[in-house]
Amino acid sequence: MMNVFSVAFRVERPIWIACLFVLALSVAIGIMYPATVSVNYYMQQLQIAAFVGILASGAMVVLLLGEIDLSMPWTATAAGMLACGVFSSGAAWANDGTAISFALLMGLAIGGLNAFGVAILRAPSMVWTLGVNAILLGLTVVYAGGYSPQTNASPLMRHLAVGRVFDVVPVAALVWMFVGGILVLVLRLTPLGAWIYAMGRSPRVAYLAGIRTRAVVFFAFLWAGLCSAVGGVLLSGYSGQAFQAMGDPMLLPSIAAVVVGGTKVTGGEGRYLGTVVGVLALTLLSNVLSLMQAPEALRLIIYGTTIILMLLVSNKRAQAHP
């Protein structure tokens, strides 16, 4: 019995650590800045966390396969620009629904391109998705002519990003909950979820077991592209318009949140609860640094250091339990 509890604690240890970190940050904020402690303050932090959480939902599935998607920043930017561009085009068919639909389709198309490169061409995901990210960067610069597009987010995009239910609960948090709910159902209750974990542990064994490994890779990158597009739509709604490089600050937090939550970067292990806690932890950490007027460079250093440290912990655990 003791062995069972020790194994459970070892598996869940990153989540417990992240939970304690969130609790410590909340207490520290309350002590140092008591004026900020209110329902509205925490709802505002939850709204900000939702943007990172949606992108992290896509990053997690790819990481579970032992792959990585570095095209998320400009997928989100391109999707946001397309949604704003379609809505502001003045065409008879341009409305809230078509604007968001075009953005989501773009996310799926980019995800499909990434999956084709990784699953069919056998290209390393890090190099391939980084190349796709560079292509998207160039295309958006050509589209915008080097300037921020003079297009605006639709009313629905604004509502999804900054709206409140009963003037309390952020709509963005509900969108995150919806996205996360779908992912949890897939990972915990469907064969596809079991295949994802199996491929993360050993792609070769999964293939020999009859799992359609290419289909699983396609799902992972399509899901990541879709989540990036949703994030781009919300970011555009939050700022009122899409602008170049708006997705860049989201790359490190979204990946770091997944790793902090206990998902192994080598694949095969991780729970969505850990990702949620990781997102909340990094959101509160970023807020503390903002309240302390810490420079942006320091935030980036902390995010990067977090990823490196958790990678070392993951490798150590993998060596201790082969």
Side-chain angles (χ1 to χ4, degrees):
M1 182 66 68
M2 184 63 66
N3 290 334
V4 172
F5 282 114
S6 63
V7 170
F9 178 75
R10 183 174 64 244
V11 172
E12 303 297 334
R13 183 172 57 182
I15 300 179
W16 283 112
I17 293 174
C19 287
L20 291 175
F21 189 58
V22 170
L23 180 61
L25 284 176
S26 299
V27 173
I29 292 173
I31 294 174
M32 294 188 298
Y33 307 97
T36 63
V37 179
S38 65
V39 173
N40 184 62
Y41 167 78
Y42 286 108
M43 289 298 102
Q44 183 180 10
Q45 297 309 305
L46 184 60
Q47 175 182 316
I48 297 172
F51 304 147
V52 178
I54 291 171
L55 291 175
S57 301
M60 178 184 176
V61 178
V62 177
L63 284 172
L64 282 174
L65 293 180
E67 307 287 354
I68 193 168
D69 185 0
L70 298 179
S71 67
M72 292 189 300
W74 284 89
T75 300
T77 300
M81 284 188 174
L82 180 60
C84 293
V86 168
F87 179 75
S88 302
S89 65
W93 47 268
N95 54 43
D96 285 315
T98 54
I100 295 177
S101 297
F102 270 85
L104 299 183
L105 288 174
M106 169 170 275
L108 288 173
I110 296 171
L113 177 61
N114 287 332
F116 177 79
V118 176
I120 305 301
L121 300 182
R122 303 294 184 182
S125 59
M126 178 180 293
V127 178
W128 181 273
T129 57
L130 190 61
V132 170
N133 192 64
I135 293 172
L136 293 172
L137 188 159
L139 290 175
T140 53
V141 170
V142 170
Y143 166 74
Y147 302 95
S148 295
Q150 299 302 309
T151 56
N152 298 316
S154 71
L156 179 57
M157 292 168 63
R158 293 174 184 268
H159 177 70
L160 292 175
V162 301
R164 296 287 181 97
V165 177
F166 303 118
D167 293 327
V168 178
V169 181
V171 177
L174 298 180
V175 175
W176 180 21
M177 184 183 300
F178 177 74
V179 172
I182 293 176
L183 181 55
V184 169
L185 290 176
V186 170
L187 292 179
R188 308 297 294 182
L189 301 178
T190 69
L192 177 58
W195 297 342
I196 290 173
Y197 283 102
M199 281 190 61
R201 296 187 184 100
S202 177
R204 181 174 179 80
V205 172
Y207 175 77
L208 294 175
I211 296 175
R212 299 175 61 184
T213 55
R214 289 183 175 179
V216 175
V217 172
F218 263 89
F219 168 80
F221 281 98
L222 286 171
W223 174 257
L226 184 63
C227 289
S228 297
V230 173
V233 169
L234 293 184
L235 287 173
S236 300
Y238 184 74
S239 60
Q241 66 178 103
F243 56 91
Q244 294 183 38
M246 70 177 184
D248 281 348
M250 295 292 162
L251 179 61
L252 275 176
S254 60
I255 294 178
V258 177
V259 177
V260 166
T263 298
K264 293 179 62 175
V265 295
T266 52
E269 183 178 318
R271 294 183 59 186
Y272 190 69
L273 174 62
T275 296
V276 172
V277 177
V279 170
L280 296 177
L282 292 185
T283 300
L284 288 176
L285 176 60
S286 177
N287 181 254
V288 169
L289 295 173
S290 297
L291 292 174
M292 296 174 62
Q293 298 182 348
E296 181 67 20
L298 178 59
R299 301 183 202 180
L300 295 176
I301 291 173
I302 292 175
Y303 288 136
T305 302
T306 302
I307 294 176
I308 293 173
L309 291 176
M310 294 305 296
L311 175 60
L312 295 176
V313 172
S314 176
N315 286 341
K316 183 177 180 180
R317 291 169 63 197
Q319 293 172 3
H321 306 281

